[in-house]
């Protein structure tokens, strides 16, 4: 019998079954990605909600491979650096100048321009002279310069320039509007979408305290394409978010499924084995929990408790085990009527020995099959909670990415990559467990 042949039967069944083998390969691949995510990007997870951390990444950038279809309008971020020049030094302050030259040939301007200057002590003052190919100079200044500034930091200076050219400041003043102003032609058509191509010169003058060193400097001309899956409104790479979501999805999926199946098998097995009033009482409790509205119940509990990963798995398992208990109870009732069980009772063998000797071993194959089949449901449920904004602190999940996309109207704004890839991953990660579960089920129930 399948129950007596051990784990070897299930392994052989998976390997010999084409869908089972594919599922096994996929799971191994997903586990490898999870290990890579934890070892290589584990320190990134706590920074996921820190917008400053992603300041140098392009915002709302579509996948980079889209640039191959229209390279003049879809492009990646261009990074420029230079050697700083010390133009004045005294006992009171130092003055440095950074000169950048770059040629712009795209049909669209960058989505933003980010200035990154890392110094050994805070910058006291900073002024930027932006020179267009036709020789037009625009002076940008900020009242509170920091190591990282974007065009929004110079909204007053750029706004005055726009007003001088077209007579008013647009009501929608975004980084893209300011970038268009720096790259557009002079005059009334400054913001009409055309770009002045050619050589641009950027001269940055900074004032620091004495003996300050410039550790690093860069200008990021942010593109509208980045990475394999693009970025969100904060500049966070979607592909990195998906990678960081793998270990969380697999961990909580497996943990929840294992707890709920083991709990269900034990409760259902004992209920079917004992029978009588004990069976009726346990079955009644099982049915009561089974009819509880799972999602609303979990939403309320998660909102009140704000659980960690393990506690969230316990909450989901608490509402999932009755399903497995009902099936295990039915199987236990069938085993109870077998001749060898009656023979053990006649011989006076204690009930607990009969249960552990004959019942649990025959329920184990059932538990193994449904553990695999239960993982997708657990993953979908936990990602649904994350989509509703109930994610354990410090975790990056695909559901939370979708929640952020919904909150920022990604569908309305046409940022399809922000929605598509996390949604596909929730489905894709569930498929191999279904394949494995059905393969094991063949060994358990003798299907073809």
């Amino acid at each position: 019998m399948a129950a007596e042949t051990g784990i070897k039967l299930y392994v052989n069944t998976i390997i010999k079954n084409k869908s089972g083998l594919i599922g096994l390969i996929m799971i191994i691949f997903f586990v490898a990605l999870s290990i890579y995510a934890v070892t290589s990007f584990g320190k990134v997870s706590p920074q996921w909600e820190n917008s400053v951390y992603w300041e140098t990444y392009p915002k709302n950038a579509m996948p980079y491979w889209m640039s191959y279809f229209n390279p003049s309008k879809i492009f990646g971020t261009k990074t420029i650096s230079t050697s700083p020049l010390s133009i004045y030094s005294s006992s009171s302050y130092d003055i440095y100048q950074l000169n950048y030259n770059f040629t712009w040939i795209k049909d669209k301007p960058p989505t933003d321009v980010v200035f990154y200057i890392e110094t050994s002590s805070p910058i006291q003052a900073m002024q930027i002279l932006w020179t267009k190919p036709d020789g037009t100079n625009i002076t940008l200044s900020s009242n509170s310069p920091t190591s990282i500034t974007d065009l929004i930091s110079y909204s007053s200076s750029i706004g005055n320039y726009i007003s001088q050219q077209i007579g008013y400041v647009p009501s929608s003043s975004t980084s893209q509007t300011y970038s268009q102003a720096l790259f557009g032609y002079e005059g009334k058509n400054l913001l009409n979408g055309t770009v002045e191509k050619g050589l641009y010169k950027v001269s940055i003058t900074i004032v620091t305290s004495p003996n300050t060193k410039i550790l690093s400097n860069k200008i990021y001309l942010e593109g509208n394409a980045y990475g394999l899956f693009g970025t969100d409104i904060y500049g966070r790479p979607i592909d990195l978010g998906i990678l960081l979501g793998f270990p969380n999805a697999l961990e909580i999926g497996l943990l929840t499924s294992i707890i709920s199946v083991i709990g269900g098998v034990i409760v259902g097995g004992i209920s079917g084995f004992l029978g009588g009033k004990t069976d009726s009482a346990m079955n009644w409790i099982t049915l009561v929990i089974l009819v509880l509205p799972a999602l609303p119940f979990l939403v309320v509990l998660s909102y009140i408790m704000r659980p960690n990963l393990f506690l969230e798995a316990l909450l989901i398992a608490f509402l999932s085990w009755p399903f497995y208990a009902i099936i295990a109870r039915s199987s236990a009732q069938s085993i109870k009527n077998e001749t060898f069980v009656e023979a053990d009772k006649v011989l006076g063998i204690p009930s607990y020995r009969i249960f552990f000797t004959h019942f649990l071993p025959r329920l184990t194959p059932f538990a193994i099959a449904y553990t695999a089949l239960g993982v997708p449901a657990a993953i979908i449920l936990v990602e649904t909670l994350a989509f509703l904004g109930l994610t354990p602190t410090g975790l990056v999940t695909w559901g939370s990415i979708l929640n952020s996309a919904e909150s920022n109207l990604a569908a309305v704004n046409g940022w399809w990559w922000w929605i598509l890839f996390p949604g596909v991953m929730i489905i894709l990660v569930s498929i191999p467990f279904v394949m494995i579960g059905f393969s094991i089920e063949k060994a358990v129930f003798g299907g073809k």
Side-chain angles (χ1 to χ4, degrees), residues 82-87 96-99 206 213-215 217:
T82 188
S83 298
L85 298 175
S86 176
I87 59 177
Y96 289 93
Q97 192 170 70
L98 304 168
N99 298 311
I206 63 172
K213 294 181 180 180
I214 298 181
L215 305 176
N217 71 91

Side-chain angles (χ1 to χ4, degrees), residues 14-58:
I14 292 172
I15 294 176
K16 292 178 181 178
N17 185 280
K18 185 180 294 185
S19 63
L21 181 60
I22 294 173
L24 181 61
I25 294 173
M26 290 178 67
I27 290 176
I28 293 173
F29 177 66
F30 291 159
V31 170
L33 285 178
S34 300
I35 295 173
Y36 174 68
V38 172
T39 55
S40 300
F41 301 101
K43 296 181 179 180
V44 177
S45 294
Q47 301 292 341
W48 190 255
E49 299 298 332
N50 180 12
S51 59
V52 177
Y53 186 85
W54 310 102
E55 187 66 41
T56 59
Y57 290 75

Side-chain angles (χ1 to χ4, degrees), residues 33 38 45 51 86 126 151 153 162 166 171 299 363 380 383 390 404:
L33 285 178
V38 172
S45 294
S51 59
S86 176
M126 182 166 72
L151 295 184
S153 305
I162 294 174
I166 65 176
S171 57
V299 167
L363 292 175
I380 291 173
E383 297 298 346
L390 301 171
S404 182

Side-chain angles (χ1 to χ4, degrees), residues 57-369:
Y57 290 75
K59 283 71 176 173
N60 300 321
M62 62 184 67
Y64 186 78
W65 46 265
M66 293 290 291
S67 64
Y68 294 105
F69 300 102
N70 193 353
S72 64
K73 293 184 178 180
I74 304 175
F75 46 87
T77 297
K78 186 175 183 178
T79 305
I80 313 164
S81 60
T82 188
S83 298
L85 298 175
S86 176
I87 59 177
Y88 182 81
S89 179
S90 69
S91 58
S92 302
Y93 57 87
D94 290 347
I95 300 178
Y96 289 93
Q97 192 170 70
L98 304 168
N99 298 311
Y100 304 87
N101 296 325
F102 65 91
T103 302
W104 193 257
I105 59 173
K106 304 296 184 180
D107 292 337
K108 296 180 67 175
T111 58
D112 198 357
V113 180
V114 178
F115 305 94
Y116 174 73
I117 304 174
E118 183 183 2
T119 56
S120 58
S121 62
I123 299 173
Q124 296 179 359
M126 182 166 72
Q127 188 176 75
I128 301 172
L129 180 64
W130 184 280
T131 304
K132 296 184 178 183
D134 63 0
T136 301
N137 292 321
I138 306 170
T139 301
L140 311 179
S141 58
S142 173
N143 294 328
S144 54
T146 59
S147 60
I148 302 177
T149 56
D150 60 5
L151 295 184
I152 297 296
S153 305
Y154 305 98
S155 57
S156 178
S157 301
I158 302 177
N160 291 335
Y161 171 69
I162 294 174
S163 179
Q164 293 172 5
Q165 297 298 313
I166 65 176
Y168 64 94
V169 178
S171 57
S172 176
S173 297
T174 63
S175 59
Q176 290 183 323
T177 303
Y178 296 143
S179 180
Q180 175 62 48
L182 295 183
F183 284 83
Y185 286 97
E186 290 272 284
K188 296 293 184 180
N189 295 324
L190 180 70
L191 303 180
N192 70 351
T194 57
V195 172
E196 186 177 346
K197 299 180 181 179
L199 178 65
Y200 286 80
K201 298 179 180 180
V202 182
S203 180
I204 303 178
T205 303
I206 63 172
V207 179
T208 68
S209 56
N211 301 317
T212 297
K213 294 181 180 180
I214 298 181
L215 305 176
S216 179
N217 71 91
K218 291 182 180 68
I219 291 181
Y220 296 92
L221 304 173
E222 294 188 350
N224 53 8
Y226 182 88
L228 187 61
F229 297 151
T231 65
D232 62 15
I233 196 171
Y234 306 105
R236 299 175 298 195
I238 303 299
D239 51 6
L240 182 56
I242 286 176
L243 185 63
L244 292 173
F246 266 109
N248 300 324
L250 293 179
E251 182 179 358
I252 198 168
L254 286 169
L255 188 61
T256 301
S257 185
I258 290 172
I259 294 173
S260 58
V261 171
I262 291 177
V265 167
I266 292 175
V267 172
I270 293 175
S271 178
F273 171 69
L274 295 177
K277 292 183 179 180
T278 303
D279 176 42
S280 298
M282 295 181 70
N283 190 47
W284 182 83
I285 294 173
T286 300
L287 292 176
V288 167
I289 298 177
L290 184 65
V291 297
L292 287 176
L295 187 58
F297 191 76
L298 285 171
V299 167
V300 172
L301 287 179
S302 298
Y303 181 79
I304 295 173
M305 302 173 65
R306 284 293 176 178
N308 55 28
L309 188 68
F310 180 73
L311 184 56
E312 187 172 52
L314 288 178
L315 290 175
I316 297 174
F318 172 74
L319 295 175
S320 303
W321 68 264
F323 170 77
Y324 306 107
I326 291 174
I327 301 176
R329 174 178 176 268
S330 177
S331 299
Q333 287 176 332
S334 299
I335 298 171
K336 184 178 180 180
N337 296 323
E338 295 288 344
T339 305
F340 53 81
V341 175
E342 296 295 333
D344 285 349
K345 290 181 180 179
V346 171
L347 292 173
I349 296 176
S351 297
Y352 74 88
R353 283 191 60 186
I354 296 174
F355 180 76
F356 284 106
T357 303
H358 294 302
F359 281 74
L360 276 186
R362 285 164 175 77
L363 292 175
T364 299
F366 154 84
I368 294 174

Side-chain angles (χ1 to χ4, degrees), residues 357-412:
T357 303
H358 294 302
F359 281 74
L360 276 186
R362 285 164 175 77
L363 292 175
T364 299
F366 154 84
I368 294 174
Y370 278 93
T371 296
L373 291 172
V375 171
I379 291 176
I380 291 173
L381 189 53
V382 75
E383 297 298 346
T384 300
L385 290 174
F387 175 71
L388 296 175
L390 301 171
T391 306
T393 305
L395 293 184
V396 181
T397 64
W398 303 325
S400 62
I401 294 175
L402 289 173
N403 171 266
S404 182
E406 190 273 337
S407 301
N408 290 283
L409 305 177
V412 175

